[in-house]
Amino acid sequence: MKIASWNINGIKARHDVLVEWLKQAQPDIACLQEIKSVDEAFPSEAIEALGYNVETHGQKGFNGVAILSRLPFDEVNRRLPGTREGVGEDGEEDDQARFMEGVFSVDNNVLRVASIYLPNGNPPDDPRKFHYKLRWMERLHDWAKGRLALEEPLILAGDYNVIPQDDDCWSPAVWEGDALFRTETRSRFEALKNLGFTEALRSGTDDHDTYTFWDYQGGAWQRGHGIRIDHLLLSPEAALHLEGCFIDAHVRDWEKPSDHVPIWLRYAA
């Protein structure tokens, strides 16, 4: 099986690019982020015509995640549990569409796949935005810990808005102080992995310049000024099936591309 993640930066702007990539790459499951569409307006027809079941969790103009699957969905869970700010006993409900989990039957077993669009958090001197990012990561940690207790294959796929290490950006000096690169952000990502997750790409390579995002500004793509912020994390049960992880960087050179490119893994079902 081929399981992918891609921040498409708007389904309306990237519909044709997405359909072409699906035709060429033929993933079995594709997790999308930043679809920027309400559920009822998501253009599913051309995608379903390629043999995919489509589930979305969107909101108007911002955020939004989706999962496309050749396998039927056994279960769909939308919205990350927990509260946004953690204020008071109950906190504040999070109305941003950033998380969806799909459950599938694979080889007489359960496979859980989550599509994640983690908050950016910038500017970090805005306590509301950066605190929301950190709080969201804590909620993800708590949710993932509970899912790991099920001892089932689980893949967390998405745009984490986290640059894990210095080698994951073209210039650490440029990104110093950014919310994606702050110590608080990176430490929470490490804490998530330390629950027992395997980072798919780094399990197979330590190569530099393995980026998934190049800004539209300043000729970043042409100059190789990228960062790696899209990640695939696997539970111990899922990691047993990992056969490799790859980045489709060539898609960044297509007409009207997203500023992200797909990252995918091969899963031996």
Side-chain angles (χ1 to χ4, degrees):
M1 290 179 60
K2 189 173 183 177
I3 301 173
S5 178
W6 189 9
N7 180 322
I8 60 171
N9 192 17
I11 184 60
K12 183 177 180 180
R14 239 62 66 186
H15 176 268
D16 293 347
V17 174
L18 171 63
V19 170
E20 181 59 29
W21 175 74
L22 290 171
K23 289 178 179 178
Q24 292 189 19
Q26 298 188 7
D28 296 284
I29 298 174
C31 297
L32 306 180
Q33 300 85 41
E34 210 171 356
I35 61 174
K36 299 181 181 178
S37 169
V38 294
D39 296 335
E40 55 269 25
F42 189 88
S44 301
E45 292 82 1
I47 298 169
E48 292 173 341
L50 297 176
Y52 289 96
N53 301 288
V54 178
E55 293 287 348
T56 63
H57 176 40
Q59 69 182 89
K60 186 176 181 179
F62 299 95
N63 307 321
V65 291
I67 301 179
L68 321 177
S69 174
R70 295 188 184 277
L71 301 173
F73 288 83
D74 294 340
E75 184 180 332
V76 178
N77 300 305
R78 294 171 174 84
R79 199 176 299 280
L80 183 67
T83 58
R84 186 170 66 179
E85 300 291 347
V87 178
E89 182 177 351
D90 297 321
E92 183 179 350
E93 184 179 354
D94 188 356
D95 58 358
Q96 296 192 22
R98 296 182 174 275
F99 175 92
M100 184 171 66
E101 176 194 40
V103 183
F104 309 92
S105 297
V106 178
D107 194 24
N108 297 317
N109 200 355
V110 169
L111 172 63
R112 296 179 180 271
V113 179
S115 183
I116 295 168
Y117 179 42
L118 206 144
N120 181 284
N122 280 305
D125 57 359
D126 183 334
R128 294 171 301 173
K129 291 186 176 181
F130 193 53
H131 175 75
Y132 175 53
K133 179 188 186 77
L134 298 182
R135 172 62 181 151
W136 207 96
M137 296 185 78
E138 291 167 358
R139 289 164 53 205
L140 178 61
H141 180 281
D142 293 344
W143 175 88
K145 186 176 181 180
R147 282 293 187 255
L148 287 174
L150 299 176
E151 297 184 352
E152 296 171 344
L154 168 66
I155 299 174
L156 307 184
D159 174 4
Y160 283 73
N161 273 313
V162 177
I163 304 170
Q165 303 293 335
D166 289 2
D167 291 343
D168 295 316
C169 62
W170 71 276
S171 173
V174 168
W175 288 92
E176 185 177 357
D178 191 278
L180 280 64
F181 202 51
R182 285 275 293 263
T183 299
E184 301 96 312
T185 300
R186 297 163 78 179
S187 65
R188 281 166 174 76
F189 184 69
E190 287 299 313
L192 176 63
K193 291 197 299 180
N194 287 341
L195 288 174
F197 286 99
T198 295
E199 188 182 346
L201 186 74
R202 285 302 181 217
S203 71
T205 179
D206 292 323
D207 290 348
H208 300 181
D209 304 330
T210 50
Y211 305 140
T212 62
F213 172 93
W214 295 261
D215 198 280
Y216 291 128
Q217 306 298 319
W221 166 247
Q222 292 79 7
R223 300 169 68 185
H225 291 178
I227 57 177
R228 190 175 70 90
I229 57 176
D230 302 88
H231 310 298
L232 299 167
L233 302 185
L234 290 82
S235 70
E237 294 78 14
L240 293 173
H241 300 266
L242 178 62
E243 292 188 332
C245 184
F246 311 90
I247 297 173
D248 284 351
H250 66 280
V251 176
R252 186 61 174 81
D253 211 27
W254 288 4
E255 186 177 357
K256 296 183 179 180
S258 170
D259 41 10
H260 296 250
V261 296
I263 179 171
W264 58 276
L265 60 83
R266 188 169 288 116
Y267 185 89

